[in-house]
Amino acid sequence: MTPDPSRRRDLAASAAAVGSTVLGAGLGELVAAVVAPAASPFAVIGGAMIDLAPAWAKNLAISLFGTGDKAALLVGIAVLLLIGAGLAGALENRRPPWGRVALAALGGLGAVVSLTRADAALLSPVPSLVAGAVAALIGGLLIGRLRRRAEALHGDRASAGAARADGLSRRTVLAYSGVAVLAGALAAAGALAIGGGARAVSALRAALRLPTPATTASVPSGAELGIEGLTPVVTPSADFYRIDTALVVPQVDPTTWTLRVHGLVEQEVVLRWEDLVALPQKETIATLVCVSNEVGGSLIGTARWLGVPIRDILARARPTAEADMVLSRSVDGFTASSPLEALTDQRDALLAIGMNGEPLPLEHGFPVRLVVPGLYGYVSATKWVSELEVTRFDRAEGYWTPRGWSERGPVKLQSRIDVPRAGARVEPGPTVIAGVAWHNHVGVTGVEVQVDDGPWRPATLASAISADTWVQWSIEWEATSGLHTARCRATSADGSTQTATVAPPAPDGATGWDEATISVV
């Protein structure tokens, strides 16, 4: 059967629209890299999608992709964009100029959204406008000439001759579309190569020398059990989980950074970088947990942090008696609602400038972030922090609260099996089952392990660094042939036992016992 010529023209028109859209997107990213890095078209649309996503969608993305959720989102946006471009191309072929209008509208939408972002600047709409204009102009040109050739070829012989001079064949349109895709990819690569702001801030970070802490922290000799495959007590910075709403890592120059403390205070305080590093620094080791961490999940890490106690800064501002919350704000607009008492009690809640002996990595909040032991990150771990507003829970909300998460997020008692890994195959005989347990700012006093339906047996605990960190545990088990299920539960320093009740991360953290299926052969 001979293919329908109109269908083949639709396909060629769709290819032209896809090629021109890739070209426009690449040029938009290139323009953004030069004039407004935070206004990258993909970052703008992706950021808006993150803001609009309900709690269940965020949790689903993290459960499916973990710390690769941002990459997955960008891929998803690209796929949807290309599908939309293909449909717009077919529309332009059959009902001009509506396909061009649709492509231009995509750029216009990005421009409008860019102005709503917290880090919007005067030139923020430009990258998206460039992307939409290029897609509409190039796509319209290619599809228009494809259509003119088709129309002329169905006319008289003279028109057919003119068509060959003025129009484009399907093969030629496909070839031009391929060139446009290549050019767009090169433009996007150029945007990545330029990255001027990122390189400049990275250079400033590399040149920084952290101040010597007035108070240091140490890891007890018995904190590491030395078991192969067991999570280390201190997580290397490169392995530390990253969950936040920033598709483009903010580039904050420490020489221009300021922190404003205001709201229900007797004295507003503004700190510059040089003011902060001149204050006595405290080193602490603390475990941070993401509220999206599933039972047995990996969205948790422990690091050595350096910074200034937040209570010292708040003491300068002198919060009023009615205040009960501090709304911390990032330069990219993210906010977290922390109970005031968690920032003013004796826990080591820090305005952190260092992580594992180095300045904070850019993706972990350089130059300054919050570290608050005992609270899930969504209500405490604000990166690239620029503002502390002392307020009340009945007057303000953090970023995730109106999206379905609880307003206060104390970390729940949890434990995890690391060794043997789930699905692991081991040999019969003496075997070690080991993992970690935590109840941040409360502490863990015991862990028990059950294999199949046997009795709960107490595990050996390593030395805890503090109540603000996780602790390793292990137990010996005589493995017998067959398929076995091991599970663990922890006991907190307050006497509570980890619940068996299974609950999802939303709205205030997952619960249940971690299990591992072990094959003994």
Side-chain angles (χ1 to χ4, degrees):
M1 180 181 293
T2 304
D4 183 353
S6 63
R7 291 285 183 86
R8 290 185 294 179
R9 287 195 300 274
D10 282 344
L11 292 174
S14 294
V18 167
S20 63
T21 299
V22 172
L23 175 60
L27 290 175
E29 295 295 320
L30 185 60
V31 171
V34 175
V35 304
S40 150
F42 274 93
V44 164
I45 297 298
M49 292 178 68
I50 290 175
D51 290 349
L52 295 172
W56 66 265
K58 170 185 177 289
N59 191 54
L60 177 62
I62 293 176
S63 65
L64 290 175
F65 305 108
T67 55
D69 59 334
K70 295 176 182 61
L73 175 60
L74 291 175
V75 170
I77 293 172
V79 170
L80 291 175
L81 179 63
L82 295 181
I83 292 174
L87 295 174
L91 178 63
E92 178 67 15
N93 183 51
R94 292 177 178 266
R95 296 286 188 274
W98 293 111
R100 279 171 286 168
V101 170
L103 293 175
L106 288 174
L109 175 63
V112 171
V113 172
S114 72
L115 291 173
T116 67
R117 309 302 294 169
D119 48 4
L122 180 63
L123 296 178
S124 292
V126 173
S128 292
L129 291 176
V130 168
V134 169
L137 290 173
I138 301 300
L141 176 64
L142 291 176
I143 297 169
R145 295 186 66 179
L146 172 71
R147 194 176 60 254
R148 285 198 297 275
R149 179 184 175 92
E151 291 172 350
L153 288 175
H154 284 81
D156 56 31
R157 187 169 299 177
S159 297
R164 280 188 287 271
D166 183 52
L168 294 175
S169 68
R170 289 190 302 275
R171 290 184 179 180
T172 304
V173 167
L174 291 174
Y176 280 145
S177 301
V179 171
V181 169
L182 178 60
L186 291 174
L192 291 175
I194 291 175
R199 286 204 307 273
V201 174
S202 293
L204 288 170
R205 175 185 176 275
L208 279 179
R209 294 296 176 266
L210 294 175
T212 301
T215 305
T216 59
S218 61
V219 177
S221 59
E224 289 276 5
L225 294 177
I227 297 172
E228 184 179 357
L230 181 58
T231 300
V233 171
V234 177
T235 310
S237 298
D239 297 334
F240 206 93
Y241 79 94
R242 180 197 165 198
I243 297 292
D244 53 53
T245 61
L247 282 176
V248 175
V249 175
Q251 309 299 312
V252 183
D253 184 340
T255 63
T256 61
W257 173 86
T258 60
L259 176 74
R260 180 184 175 218
V261 185
H262 66 104
L264 298 177
V265 297
E266 296 181 16
Q267 175 66 52
E268 183 171 315
V269 174
V270 177
L271 288 177
R272 298 169 299 175
W273 172 259
E274 53 265 36
D275 301 324
L276 186 64
V277 297
L279 295 174
Q281 304 289 315
K282 184 179 182 66
E283 185 180 68
T284 189
I285 301 173
T287 298
L288 301 186
V289 193
C290 179
V291 71
S292 295
N293 197 41
E294 300 276 0
V295 172
S298 60
L299 301 180
I300 177 172
T302 300
R304 187 186 299 270
W305 307 97
L306 176 68
V308 175
I310 300 172
R311 60 177 173 269
D312 294 350
I313 305 303
L314 291 174
R316 291 187 178 193
R318 302 191 301 279
T320 62
E322 61 180 319
D324 65 2
M325 187 257 274
V326 174
L327 191 72
S328 53
R329 181 171 282 106
S330 168
V331 298
D332 68 347
F334 174 83
T335 55
S337 53
S338 305
L340 177 62
E341 62 181 0
L343 304 184
T344 54
D345 62 16
Q346 293 308 303
R347 78 185 75 196
D348 290 334
L350 300 180
L351 279 170
I353 62 173
M355 180 180 184
N356 291 334
E358 297 181 343
L360 291 171
L362 268 63
E363 64 272 19
H364 287 294
F366 180 82
V368 185
R369 66 168 293 166
L370 265 63
V371 171
V372 185
L375 299 180
Y376 286 119
Y378 80 104
V379 294
S380 67
T382 303
K383 303 173 183 176
W384 315 287
V385 64
S386 64
E387 190 176 328
L388 299 179
E389 180 185 358
V390 181
T391 181
R392 292 182 53 82
F393 279 104
D394 58 10
R395 298 183 188 176
E397 292 181 313
Y399 181 91
W400 286 114
T401 304
R403 292 167 171 83
W405 298 83
S406 63
E407 64 179 14
R408 303 168 189 254
V411 175
K412 295 181 176 180
L413 174 63
Q414 276 290 323
S415 57
R416 186 181 77 195
I417 297 174
D418 288 348
V419 180
R421 299 290 183 187
R425 301 168 69 90
V426 301
E427 295 181 355
T431 299
V432 172
I433 301 174
V436 289
W438 62 91
H439 195 189
N440 302 27
H441 200 57
V442 179
V444 172
T445 56
V447 171
E448 296 174 292
V449 176
Q450 181 188 57
V451 179
D452 300 326
D453 294 321
W456 286 97
R457 298 173 52 215
T460 298
L461 288 187
S463 299
I465 299 174
S466 74
D468 292 334
T469 64
W470 57 13
V471 60
Q472 293 183 346
W473 58 266
S474 69
I475 189 172
E476 291 189 357
W477 168 55
E478 188 68 26
T480 57
S481 298
L483 200 62
H484 301 276
T485 299
R487 57 186 63 89
C488 61
R489 67 183 184 190
T491 301
S492 175
D494 64 8
S496 59
T497 300
Q498 182 181 339
T499 179
T501 302
V502 177
D508 58 359
T511 61
W513 294 337
D514 188 26
E515 294 186 350
T517 301
I518 306 169
S519 177
V520 181
V521 293

